[in-house]
Amino acid sequence: MAADGRSATGRVVDAGRRAYGWVDARLDLDRDATLLGKAFPAEDSFLLGEVALFCFLVLVLSGIFLGFFFEPSTTEVEYEGSVDEFQGEELPASYVSVLNVTYDVPFGMFLRRIHHWAAHFFVASLGLHMLRVFFTGAYRNPREPNWLVGSGLAVLAMGAAYTGYALPYDEFASTATGIGFNVVQSIPVIGETSADIVFGGRFPSSATIPRLYFLHVLVIPATIGVLLAAHLWILVRQKHTEAPRDGDVTGGDERVDRDDDGVVVGLPAYPNQTAVSAVVFFLTLAALSLLAGFLPVHNVAEYGPNDPASTPELIMPDWFLMWGYGFLKLIPSWMSFDVPLVGVHVSSEFLGGVVLPGLVFLAVFVWPFVDYESEPTHFTADPLERPWQTAVGVAGVVFVMIASLAGMDVILADVLGTDSTALHAPLTVALFVGPLVAGAITYWTLGGFGEEGGGGDPVAADGAGDEEVTGGE
Protein backbone atom coordinates (compact mmCIF):
# COMPACT_ATOMS: atom_id res chain seq x y z
CA MET A 1 0.00 0.00 0.00
CA ALA A 2 1.45 3.37 -0.97
CA ALA A 3 1.70 6.38 1.31
CA ASP A 4 -1.30 7.97 -0.39
CA GLY A 5 -3.48 5.01 0.52
CA ARG A 6 -3.69 3.55 -2.98
CA SER A 7 -2.53 0.11 -4.01
CA ALA A 8 -0.05 -0.48 -6.80
CA THR A 9 -2.89 -1.66 -9.02
CA GLY A 10 -4.84 1.51 -8.30
CA ARG A 11 -1.87 3.66 -9.21
CA VAL A 12 -1.46 1.81 -12.50
CA VAL A 13 -5.16 2.26 -13.26
CA ASP A 14 -4.91 5.97 -12.47
CA ALA A 15 -1.88 6.32 -14.73
CA GLY A 16 -3.79 4.56 -17.51
CA ARG A 17 -6.73 6.89 -17.06
CA ARG A 18 -4.47 9.93 -17.19
CA ALA A 19 -2.80 8.62 -20.34
CA TYR A 20 -6.16 7.98 -21.97
CA GLY A 21 -7.35 11.44 -20.92
CA TRP A 22 -4.21 13.01 -22.46
CA VAL A 23 -4.81 11.21 -25.76
CA ASP A 24 -8.56 11.86 -25.72
CA ALA A 25 -8.00 15.57 -25.11
CA ARG A 26 -5.96 15.73 -28.31
CA LEU A 27 -7.84 13.35 -30.60
CA ASP A 28 -11.41 13.48 -29.23
CA LEU A 29 -11.70 9.72 -29.66
CA ASP A 30 -15.50 9.56 -29.41
CA ARG A 31 -16.10 12.13 -32.18
CA ASP A 32 -16.69 11.14 -35.78
CA ALA A 33 -14.39 12.96 -38.18
CA THR A 34 -14.02 12.64 -41.93
CA LEU A 35 -11.49 14.04 -44.37
CA LEU A 36 -14.24 15.60 -46.50
CA GLY A 37 -15.36 17.78 -43.60
CA LYS A 38 -11.92 19.25 -43.02
CA ALA A 39 -10.79 22.76 -43.95
CA PHE A 40 -7.22 23.49 -45.11
CA PRO A 41 -5.80 27.01 -44.75
CA ALA A 42 -4.65 28.34 -48.13
CA GLU A 43 -0.97 28.86 -47.32
CA ASP A 44 1.84 27.65 -49.57
CA SER A 45 4.18 26.62 -46.75
CA PHE A 46 1.51 24.22 -45.49
CA LEU A 47 1.97 22.20 -48.70
CA LEU A 48 5.46 20.95 -47.81
CA GLY A 49 3.93 17.95 -46.10
CA GLU A 50 2.05 17.08 -49.29
CA VAL A 51 5.28 17.31 -51.29
CA ALA A 52 6.84 14.79 -48.90
CA LEU A 53 3.83 12.50 -49.27
CA PHE A 54 3.97 12.62 -53.07
CA CYS A 55 7.72 12.01 -53.08
CA PHE A 56 7.13 8.89 -51.00
CA LEU A 57 4.53 7.75 -53.53
CA VAL A 58 7.03 8.27 -56.37
CA LEU A 59 9.66 6.40 -54.36
CA VAL A 60 7.35 3.42 -53.94
CA LEU A 61 6.29 3.29 -57.60
CA SER A 62 9.79 3.77 -59.03
CA GLY A 63 11.14 1.34 -56.43
CA ILE A 64 8.70 -1.33 -57.61
CA PHE A 65 9.99 -0.87 -61.16
CA LEU A 66 13.63 -1.12 -60.05
CA GLY A 67 12.81 -4.13 -57.89
CA PHE A 68 11.87 -6.16 -60.97
CA PHE A 69 15.45 -5.93 -62.24
CA PHE A 70 17.57 -5.71 -59.08
CA GLU A 71 19.22 -8.87 -57.75
CA PRO A 72 20.17 -8.56 -54.05
CA SER A 73 23.15 -10.86 -54.13
CA THR A 74 26.95 -10.64 -54.00
CA THR A 75 27.38 -13.87 -55.97
CA GLU A 76 29.86 -13.40 -58.80
CA VAL A 77 28.31 -13.51 -62.27
CA GLU A 78 29.73 -12.78 -65.70
CA TYR A 79 28.82 -9.35 -66.98
CA GLU A 80 27.40 -9.11 -70.49
CA GLY A 81 26.02 -5.63 -70.95
CA SER A 82 26.64 -2.26 -72.55
CA VAL A 83 29.59 -1.13 -70.41
CA ASP A 84 32.67 -2.15 -72.37
CA GLU A 85 35.20 -1.99 -69.53
CA PHE A 86 33.42 -4.77 -67.60
CA GLN A 87 32.70 -7.11 -70.52
CA GLY A 88 33.28 -10.73 -69.54
CA GLU A 89 34.35 -9.88 -65.96
CA GLU A 90 33.05 -11.71 -62.90
CA LEU A 91 31.17 -9.10 -60.84
CA PRO A 92 28.74 -9.14 -57.88
CA ALA A 93 25.20 -9.85 -59.10
CA SER A 94 23.77 -6.76 -57.37
CA TYR A 95 26.33 -4.55 -59.10
CA VAL A 96 25.63 -6.17 -62.46
CA SER A 97 21.86 -5.73 -62.03
CA VAL A 98 22.29 -2.00 -61.34
CA LEU A 99 24.47 -1.67 -64.44
CA ASN A 100 21.79 -3.45 -66.46
CA VAL A 101 19.00 -1.26 -65.06
CA THR A 102 21.03 1.86 -65.82
CA TYR A 103 22.27 1.07 -69.32
CA ASP A 104 20.20 -1.76 -70.82
CA VAL A 105 16.65 -1.61 -69.43
CA PRO A 106 14.38 0.82 -71.34
CA PHE A 107 13.75 3.92 -69.17
CA GLY A 108 15.86 2.26 -66.45
CA MET A 109 18.33 5.13 -66.10
CA PHE A 110 15.52 7.69 -66.00
CA LEU A 111 13.56 5.84 -63.31
CA ARG A 112 16.67 5.15 -61.27
CA ARG A 113 17.42 8.86 -61.33
CA ILE A 114 13.82 9.70 -60.38
CA HIS A 115 14.09 7.28 -57.46
CA HIS A 116 17.29 8.98 -56.38
CA TRP A 117 15.97 12.53 -56.62
CA ALA A 118 12.66 11.60 -54.99
CA ALA A 119 14.64 10.34 -51.99
CA HIS A 120 16.42 13.69 -51.74
CA PHE A 121 13.16 15.60 -52.18
CA PHE A 122 11.45 13.42 -49.59
CA VAL A 123 14.03 14.18 -46.91
CA ALA A 124 14.28 17.86 -47.89
CA SER A 125 10.52 18.49 -47.87
CA LEU A 126 10.17 16.54 -44.63
CA GLY A 127 12.92 18.63 -43.03
CA LEU A 128 11.51 21.93 -44.24
CA HIS A 129 8.04 20.87 -43.11
CA MET A 130 9.39 20.19 -39.62
CA LEU A 131 11.24 23.52 -39.57
CA ARG A 132 8.01 25.30 -40.54
CA VAL A 133 6.15 23.50 -37.76
CA PHE A 134 8.95 24.25 -35.28
CA PHE A 135 9.35 27.98 -35.95
CA THR A 136 5.57 28.61 -36.01
CA GLY A 137 4.97 26.57 -32.87
CA ALA A 138 2.51 24.29 -34.68
CA TYR A 139 3.69 21.35 -32.53
CA ARG A 140 2.00 22.74 -29.40
CA ASN A 141 -1.01 21.30 -27.63
CA PRO A 142 -2.89 19.35 -29.02
CA ARG A 143 -0.43 18.44 -31.81
CA GLU A 144 2.37 16.83 -29.80
CA PRO A 145 1.45 13.35 -31.11
CA ASN A 146 1.89 14.41 -34.72
CA TRP A 147 5.25 15.99 -33.94
CA LEU A 148 6.36 12.65 -32.51
CA VAL A 149 5.11 10.85 -35.61
CA GLY A 150 6.86 13.36 -37.89
CA SER A 151 10.12 12.98 -35.98
CA GLY A 152 9.87 9.22 -36.37
CA LEU A 153 9.37 9.71 -40.11
CA ALA A 154 12.55 11.79 -40.27
CA VAL A 155 14.54 8.99 -38.63
CA LEU A 156 13.06 6.38 -40.97
CA ALA A 157 13.69 8.51 -44.04
CA MET A 158 17.39 8.57 -43.20
CA GLY A 159 17.34 4.83 -42.56
CA ALA A 160 15.69 4.23 -45.93
CA ALA A 161 18.30 6.35 -47.67
CA TYR A 162 21.19 4.57 -45.97
CA THR A 163 19.93 1.05 -46.73
CA GLY A 164 19.25 1.96 -50.35
CA TYR A 165 22.61 3.62 -50.69
CA ALA A 166 24.40 0.32 -50.11
CA LEU A 167 22.48 -1.83 -52.59
CA PRO A 168 24.55 -1.27 -55.81
CA TYR A 169 27.52 -2.74 -53.93
CA ASP A 170 29.91 -0.51 -55.82
CA GLU A 171 33.21 0.63 -54.37
CA PHE A 172 31.92 3.93 -53.00
CA ALA A 173 28.67 2.63 -51.46
CA SER A 174 30.21 -0.47 -49.91
CA THR A 175 32.88 1.63 -48.21
CA ALA A 176 30.21 3.93 -46.76
CA THR A 177 28.19 0.90 -45.69
CA GLY A 178 31.25 -0.42 -43.88
CA ILE A 179 31.35 2.79 -41.84
CA GLY A 180 27.75 2.19 -40.77
CA PHE A 181 28.63 -1.38 -39.84
CA ASN A 182 31.46 -0.20 -37.61
CA VAL A 183 29.14 2.28 -35.90
CA VAL A 184 26.47 -0.35 -35.19
CA GLN A 185 29.10 -2.80 -34.01
CA SER A 186 30.49 -0.19 -31.60
CA ILE A 187 27.31 -0.15 -29.48
CA PRO A 188 28.26 -1.56 -26.08
CA VAL A 189 26.79 -4.95 -25.12
CA ILE A 190 24.38 -5.28 -28.09
CA GLY A 191 26.68 -4.08 -30.89
CA GLU A 192 27.72 -7.49 -32.23
CA THR A 193 24.16 -8.82 -32.15
CA SER A 194 22.77 -5.67 -33.79
CA ALA A 195 25.39 -5.85 -36.55
CA ASP A 196 24.55 -9.51 -37.12
CA ILE A 197 20.86 -8.70 -37.46
CA VAL A 198 21.26 -5.70 -39.78
CA PHE A 199 24.31 -6.72 -41.80
CA GLY A 200 24.18 -10.51 -41.58
CA GLY A 201 27.51 -10.93 -39.80
CA ARG A 202 30.92 -9.50 -40.49
CA PHE A 203 30.86 -6.89 -43.25
CA PRO A 204 30.99 -7.52 -46.11
CA SER A 205 29.28 -10.90 -46.11
CA SER A 206 26.99 -12.65 -48.56
CA ALA A 207 24.05 -11.82 -46.29
CA THR A 208 24.68 -8.06 -46.12
CA ILE A 209 22.98 -6.98 -49.34
CA PRO A 210 19.91 -9.26 -48.87
CA ARG A 211 19.45 -7.94 -45.30
CA LEU A 212 19.72 -4.30 -46.34
CA TYR A 213 17.47 -4.96 -49.34
CA PHE A 214 14.84 -6.49 -47.05
CA LEU A 215 14.98 -3.45 -44.78
CA HIS A 216 14.95 -1.03 -47.72
CA VAL A 217 12.03 -2.43 -49.71
CA LEU A 218 9.79 -3.82 -46.97
CA VAL A 219 10.45 -3.06 -43.32
CA ILE A 220 11.26 0.64 -43.52
CA PRO A 221 8.75 1.59 -46.29
CA ALA A 222 5.98 -0.31 -44.50
CA THR A 223 6.79 1.49 -41.26
CA ILE A 224 6.89 4.83 -43.08
CA GLY A 225 3.50 4.01 -44.60
CA VAL A 226 2.05 3.24 -41.17
CA LEU A 227 3.40 6.48 -39.72
CA LEU A 228 2.13 8.49 -42.70
CA ALA A 229 -1.31 6.96 -42.19
CA ALA A 230 -1.15 7.83 -38.49
CA HIS A 231 -0.01 11.35 -39.36
CA LEU A 232 -2.95 11.87 -41.70
CA TRP A 233 -5.41 10.27 -39.28
CA ILE A 234 -4.34 12.63 -36.50
CA LEU A 235 -4.49 15.54 -38.95
CA VAL A 236 -8.09 14.70 -39.84
CA ARG A 237 -9.14 14.34 -36.21
CA GLN A 238 -7.63 17.66 -35.15
CA LYS A 239 -8.30 21.18 -36.34
CA HIS A 240 -5.76 22.32 -38.86
CA THR A 241 -3.43 25.03 -37.63
CA GLU A 242 -4.07 28.46 -39.05
CA ALA A 243 -2.07 31.69 -39.18
CA PRO A 244 -3.42 34.62 -37.15
CA ARG A 245 -6.05 36.55 -39.10
CA ASP A 246 -5.86 40.21 -40.10
CA GLY A 247 -9.48 40.68 -39.12
CA ASP A 248 -12.90 39.05 -39.06
CA VAL A 249 -13.56 36.76 -42.01
CA THR A 250 -16.76 36.41 -44.01
CA GLY A 251 -17.25 33.33 -46.18
CA GLY A 252 -20.69 32.51 -47.61
CA ASP A 253 -23.25 33.03 -44.85
CA GLU A 254 -20.73 32.57 -42.07
CA ARG A 255 -18.77 35.20 -40.20
CA VAL A 256 -15.74 34.23 -38.17
CA ASP A 257 -14.22 36.51 -35.60
CA ARG A 258 -10.55 37.25 -35.85
CA ASP A 259 -9.75 35.60 -32.52
CA ASP A 260 -12.04 32.58 -32.87
CA ASP A 261 -9.75 29.58 -33.26
CA GLY A 262 -12.67 27.15 -32.85
CA VAL A 263 -13.37 27.38 -36.59
CA VAL A 264 -10.78 26.92 -39.32
CA VAL A 265 -10.89 29.33 -42.24
CA GLY A 266 -9.68 27.63 -45.38
CA LEU A 267 -10.44 25.47 -48.36
CA PRO A 268 -12.70 22.43 -48.01
CA ALA A 269 -10.97 19.11 -48.61
CA TYR A 270 -13.14 18.47 -51.67
CA PRO A 271 -13.06 19.82 -54.29
CA ASN A 272 -10.82 22.84 -53.59
CA GLN A 273 -7.97 21.30 -51.59
CA THR A 274 -8.08 18.16 -53.76
CA ALA A 275 -7.49 20.31 -56.83
CA VAL A 276 -4.62 22.11 -55.10
CA SER A 277 -3.10 18.78 -54.10
CA ALA A 278 -3.33 17.51 -57.68
CA VAL A 279 -1.41 20.56 -58.88
CA VAL A 280 1.22 20.03 -56.18
CA PHE A 281 1.56 16.38 -57.21
CA PHE A 282 2.14 17.17 -60.87
CA LEU A 283 4.54 19.99 -60.02
CA THR A 284 6.50 17.62 -57.79
CA LEU A 285 6.56 14.97 -60.51
CA ALA A 286 7.63 17.56 -63.09
CA ALA A 287 10.48 18.79 -60.89
CA LEU A 288 11.69 15.23 -60.30
CA SER A 289 11.47 14.46 -64.02
CA LEU A 290 13.51 17.52 -64.93
CA LEU A 291 16.20 16.62 -62.41
CA ALA A 292 16.23 13.00 -63.59
CA GLY A 293 16.46 14.10 -67.20
CA PHE A 294 19.32 16.54 -66.84
CA LEU A 295 21.31 15.65 -63.72
CA PRO A 296 23.10 12.29 -63.41
CA VAL A 297 23.25 10.43 -60.10
CA HIS A 298 25.61 8.01 -58.38
CA ASN A 299 27.66 6.67 -61.33
CA VAL A 300 28.26 3.04 -60.39
CA ALA A 301 30.20 2.34 -63.62
CA GLU A 302 32.75 4.97 -62.66
CA TYR A 303 33.16 3.78 -59.07
CA GLY A 304 33.48 0.10 -60.03
CA PRO A 305 32.46 -2.94 -57.97
CA ASN A 306 33.34 -3.39 -54.32
CA ASP A 307 37.04 -3.95 -53.74
CA PRO A 308 37.81 -4.83 -50.09
CA ALA A 309 41.51 -4.18 -50.71
CA SER A 310 41.10 -0.50 -51.54
CA THR A 311 39.41 2.63 -50.21
CA PRO A 312 38.08 5.43 -52.42
CA GLU A 313 39.95 8.68 -52.11
CA LEU A 314 36.86 10.65 -51.10
CA ILE A 315 34.04 9.14 -49.04
CA MET A 316 31.01 11.18 -48.04
CA PRO A 317 27.38 10.33 -47.37
CA ASP A 318 24.45 12.25 -48.82
CA TRP A 319 23.86 15.75 -47.50
CA PHE A 320 21.17 14.74 -44.99
CA LEU A 321 23.50 12.25 -43.29
CA MET A 322 26.54 14.54 -43.46
CA TRP A 323 26.06 15.97 -39.95
CA GLY A 324 26.26 12.50 -38.40
CA TYR A 325 29.40 11.79 -40.43
CA GLY A 326 30.80 15.06 -39.11
CA PHE A 327 30.40 13.82 -35.54
CA LEU A 328 32.45 10.76 -36.44
CA LYS A 329 35.16 13.00 -37.84
CA LEU A 330 35.33 15.29 -34.81
CA ILE A 331 35.24 12.79 -31.96
CA PRO A 332 38.91 11.89 -31.36
CA SER A 333 39.91 8.31 -30.66
CA TRP A 334 41.39 9.25 -27.27
CA MET A 335 37.84 9.80 -25.99
CA SER A 336 37.31 6.04 -26.04
CA PHE A 337 37.25 4.54 -22.54
CA ASP A 338 36.43 1.44 -20.57
CA VAL A 339 33.72 1.45 -17.91
CA PRO A 340 35.26 0.10 -14.69
CA LEU A 341 33.85 -3.02 -13.05
CA VAL A 342 31.45 -3.96 -15.88
CA GLY A 343 34.22 -4.13 -18.51
CA VAL A 344 32.26 -2.27 -21.19
CA HIS A 345 34.24 -0.43 -23.86
CA VAL A 346 32.82 2.90 -25.05
CA SER A 347 34.45 3.79 -28.37
CA SER A 348 34.72 7.09 -30.20
CA GLU A 349 32.63 5.53 -33.01
CA PHE A 350 29.83 4.92 -30.52
CA LEU A 351 30.05 8.47 -29.13
CA GLY A 352 30.10 10.11 -32.57
CA GLY A 353 27.86 7.73 -34.49
CA VAL A 354 25.24 6.83 -31.90
CA VAL A 355 25.35 9.03 -28.77
CA LEU A 356 25.55 12.48 -30.37
CA PRO A 357 22.98 11.79 -33.15
CA GLY A 358 20.80 10.12 -30.53
CA LEU A 359 20.91 13.22 -28.34
CA VAL A 360 19.98 15.40 -31.32
CA PHE A 361 16.95 13.26 -32.13
CA LEU A 362 16.04 13.03 -28.43
CA ALA A 363 15.97 16.84 -28.27
CA VAL A 364 13.73 16.93 -31.35
CA PHE A 365 11.32 14.33 -29.95
CA VAL A 366 10.88 15.95 -26.53
CA TRP A 367 10.72 19.55 -27.73
CA PRO A 368 6.87 19.89 -27.54
CA PHE A 369 7.11 18.92 -23.88
CA VAL A 370 9.79 21.54 -23.26
CA ASP A 371 7.87 24.34 -24.97
CA TYR A 372 4.63 23.06 -23.50
CA GLU A 373 1.20 24.69 -23.68
CA SER A 374 -1.40 23.54 -21.17
CA GLU A 375 -4.28 24.86 -23.28
CA PRO A 376 -5.01 23.93 -26.92
CA THR A 377 -3.54 26.39 -29.42
CA HIS A 378 -4.83 26.41 -33.00
CA PHE A 379 -3.26 29.59 -34.36
CA THR A 380 0.35 29.35 -35.48
CA ALA A 381 2.82 31.66 -33.79
CA ASP A 382 4.96 34.37 -35.30
CA PRO A 383 8.65 33.33 -34.94
CA LEU A 384 9.54 36.99 -34.42
CA GLU A 385 7.41 37.00 -31.26
CA ARG A 386 9.01 33.89 -29.77
CA PRO A 387 12.60 34.92 -28.98
CA TRP A 388 13.86 31.93 -27.04
CA GLN A 389 12.12 29.29 -29.14
CA THR A 390 13.35 30.85 -32.39
CA ALA A 391 16.83 31.26 -30.90
CA VAL A 392 16.91 27.56 -30.02
CA GLY A 393 15.81 26.69 -33.55
CA VAL A 394 18.48 28.87 -35.16
CA ALA A 395 21.12 27.43 -32.82
CA GLY A 396 20.03 23.92 -33.80
CA VAL A 397 20.27 24.70 -37.50
CA VAL A 398 23.75 26.21 -37.07
CA PHE A 399 24.81 23.16 -35.03
CA VAL A 400 23.78 20.79 -37.81
CA MET A 401 25.40 22.98 -40.48
CA ILE A 402 28.76 23.08 -38.69
CA ALA A 403 28.62 19.32 -38.10
CA SER A 404 27.93 18.90 -41.83
CA LEU A 405 30.94 21.06 -42.65
CA ALA A 406 33.01 18.75 -40.48
CA GLY A 407 31.73 15.82 -42.56
CA MET A 408 33.10 17.60 -45.63
CA ASP A 409 36.44 18.36 -43.99
CA VAL A 410 38.41 16.92 -46.90
CA ILE A 411 36.80 19.30 -49.38
CA LEU A 412 37.04 22.19 -46.93
CA ALA A 413 40.74 21.49 -46.37
CA ASP A 414 41.31 21.38 -50.12
CA VAL A 415 39.62 24.77 -50.52
CA LEU A 416 41.63 26.30 -47.66
CA GLY A 417 44.87 24.66 -48.74
CA THR A 418 45.49 22.83 -45.50
CA ASP A 419 45.26 19.36 -44.00
CA SER A 420 41.84 18.08 -42.93
CA THR A 421 43.17 17.02 -39.53
CA ALA A 422 44.18 20.63 -38.83
CA LEU A 423 40.54 21.67 -39.19
CA HIS A 424 39.18 19.34 -36.52
CA ALA A 425 40.10 21.52 -33.53
CA PRO A 426 38.58 24.77 -34.88
CA LEU A 427 35.52 22.89 -36.14
CA THR A 428 35.04 21.28 -32.72
CA VAL A 429 35.15 24.69 -31.07
CA ALA A 430 32.81 26.10 -33.70
CA LEU A 431 30.39 23.21 -33.18
CA PHE A 432 29.71 24.39 -29.64
CA VAL A 433 30.44 28.11 -29.83
CA GLY A 434 28.73 28.76 -33.17
CA PRO A 435 25.22 27.71 -32.06
CA LEU A 436 25.55 29.68 -28.80
CA VAL A 437 26.55 32.84 -30.67
CA ALA A 438 23.86 32.39 -33.33
CA GLY A 439 21.21 31.71 -30.68
CA ALA A 440 22.27 34.69 -28.57
CA ILE A 441 22.23 37.05 -31.57
CA THR A 442 18.78 35.78 -32.57
CA TYR A 443 17.51 36.16 -29.01
CA TRP A 444 18.88 39.69 -28.77
CA THR A 445 17.57 40.66 -32.21
CA LEU A 446 14.06 39.58 -31.26
CA GLY A 447 14.18 41.60 -28.04
CA GLY A 448 14.68 38.64 -25.75
CA PHE A 449 16.95 40.63 -23.44
CA GLY A 450 14.25 43.21 -22.89
CA GLU A 451 15.68 45.64 -25.41
CA GLU A 452 14.25 46.84 -28.66
CA GLY A 453 15.41 44.23 -31.10
CA GLY A 454 15.67 44.19 -34.85
CA GLY A 455 12.69 41.94 -35.46
CA GLY A 456 10.26 44.77 -36.05
CA ASP A 457 6.51 44.45 -35.85
CA PRO A 458 4.97 41.02 -36.16
CA VAL A 459 4.30 40.00 -39.72
CA ALA A 460 0.64 39.40 -40.23
CA ALA A 461 0.00 36.10 -41.97
CA ASP A 462 -2.16 36.16 -45.05
CA GLY A 463 -4.35 33.34 -43.83
CA ALA A 464 -7.82 34.58 -44.65
CA GLY A 465 -9.66 36.44 -47.33
CA ASP A 466 -13.09 37.02 -48.73
CA GLU A 467 -12.56 34.48 -51.48
CA GLU A 468 -11.84 31.64 -49.04
CA VAL A 469 -14.36 29.14 -47.85
CA THR A 470 -15.03 28.82 -44.17
CA GLY A 471 -14.80 25.24 -43.01
CA GLY A 472 -15.93 24.52 -39.48
CA GLU A 473 -14.85 21.42 -37.64
Side-chain angles (χ1 to χ4, degrees):
M1 187 73 71
D4 58 3
R6 290 180 298 168
S7 64
T9 303
R11 293 168 68 87
V12 171
V13 171
D14 286 346
R17 286 174 177 166
R18 286 195 299 272
Y20 178 84
W22 188 88
V23 174
D24 188 44
R26 282 150 182 79
L27 302 177
D28 197 4
L29 298 175
D30 295 329
R31 178 176 64 89
D32 292 331
T34 63
L35 176 63
L36 296 181
K38 189 170 182 60
F40 291 83
E43 294 189 46
D44 295 341
S45 64
F46 283 28
L47 299 175
L48 285 167
E50 294 191 33
V51 174
L53 176 64
F54 297 144
C55 286
F56 180 68
L57 180 62
V58 172
L59 279 170
V60 171
L61 294 176
S62 57
I64 290 173
F65 174 87
L66 297 174
F68 282 122
F69 304 98
F70 180 71
E71 186 174 349
S73 170
T74 56
T75 303
E76 297 281 319
V77 298
E78 183 177 339
Y79 177 72
E80 296 177 354
S82 300
V83 183
D84 293 337
E85 64 181 293
F86 297 128
Q87 285 295 336
E89 285 192 33
E90 295 288 327
L91 302 172
S94 58
Y95 183 75
V96 169
S97 64
V98 174
L99 287 177
N100 290 335
V101 168
T102 306
Y103 298 105
D104 296 301
V105 174
F107 302 105
M109 179 183 289
F110 179 74
L111 285 169
R112 182 170 164 247
R113 288 182 178 184
I114 273 198
H115 193 75
H116 175 96
W117 287 115
H120 284 262
F121 261 47
F122 180 56
V123 178
S125 54
L126 199 63
L128 290 174
H129 180 57
M130 291 189 70
L131 286 175
R132 197 275 299 171
V133 171
F134 179 91
F135 283 108
T136 61
Y139 52 79
R140 294 173 296 175
N141 186 359
R143 295 176 183 79
E144 305 98 325
N146 241 352
W147 176 264
L148 297 176
V149 171
S151 301
L153 282 169
V155 175
L156 288 170
M158 295 183 185
Y162 174 77
T163 52
Y165 192 70
L167 297 185
Y169 206 53
D170 61 278
E171 175 67 345
F172 189 98
S174 61
T175 304
T177 306
I179 295 173
F181 171 80
N182 291 330
V183 169
V184 173
Q185 196 181 35
S186 71
I187 302 173
V189 183
I190 62 171
E192 294 286 346
T193 303
S194 300
D196 285 345
I197 293 173
V198 177
F199 295 92
R202 300 293 301 178
F203 178 81
S205 76
S206 59
T208 300
I209 296 301
R211 294 286 178 92
L212 295 179
Y213 182 67
F214 175 67
L215 292 170
H216 183 70
V217 304
L218 181 61
V219 177
I220 296 178
T223 310
I224 289 177
V226 170
L227 289 187
L228 282 174
H231 188 77
L232 294 174
W233 181 75
I234 295 172
L235 186 70
V236 169
R237 295 208 62 83
Q238 296 180 339
K239 290 185 178 64
H240 208 295
T241 52
E242 182 183 352
R245 302 165 189 147
D246 290 334
D248 296 346
V249 179
T250 302
D253 296 331
E254 293 188 53
R255 179 179 179 83
V256 180
D257 293 339
R258 172 180 177 171
D259 300 324
D260 181 7
D261 68 349
V263 177
V264 179
V265 176
L267 304 175
Y270 181 83
N272 305 56
Q273 185 61 34
T274 302
V276 172
S277 298
V279 172
V280 173
F281 171 75
F282 286 113
L283 286 176
T284 302
L285 189 60
L288 293 174
S289 299
L290 283 173
L291 288 171
F294 291 102
L295 295 181
V297 298
H298 195 79
N299 190 342
V300 293
E302 181 178 341
Y303 291 122
N306 173 49
D307 182 3
S310 70
T311 301
E313 183 178 350
L314 180 62
I315 286 291
M316 283 194 304
D318 289 326
W319 58 270
F320 45 82
L321 296 172
M322 194 69 73
W323 58 281
Y325 191 51
F327 291 153
L328 286 172
K329 291 287 190 73
L330 293 183
I331 298 293
S333 58
W334 57 261
M335 291 190 70
S336 301
F337 63 93
D338 293 320
V339 180
L341 301 179
V342 295
V344 173
H345 179 67
V346 178
S347 67
S348 57
E349 289 85 0
F350 174 65
L351 295 175
V354 179
V355 174
L356 282 180
L359 290 175
V360 170
F361 278 116
L362 178 64
V364 173
F365 273 100
V366 304
W367 178 252
F369 307 99
V370 175
D371 182 27
Y372 185 73
E373 291 280 354
S374 58
E375 296 297 326
T377 305
H378 301 299
F379 285 134
T380 55
D382 185 343
L384 302 181
E385 293 183 327
R386 290 161 40 94
W388 78 267
Q389 293 94 337
T390 301
V392 169
V394 170
V397 171
V398 171
F399 182 76
V400 170
M401 290 176 65
I402 294 176
S404 298
L405 278 177
M408 297 183 287
D409 62 341
V410 176
I411 296 177
L412 189 61
D414 187 52
V415 172
L416 298 176
T418 184
D419 185 78
S420 60
T421 306
L423 294 175
H424 289 176
L427 282 171
T428 301
V429 173
L431 186 64
F432 295 99
V433 175
L436 291 175
V437 172
I441 292 175
T442 303
Y443 191 68
W444 172 80
T445 303
L446 298 181
F449 292 111
E451 302 173 1
E452 188 66 27
D457 293 330
V459 178
D462 186 15
D466 292 340
E467 71 282 8
E468 292 181 323
V469 176
T470 302
E473 294 186 301

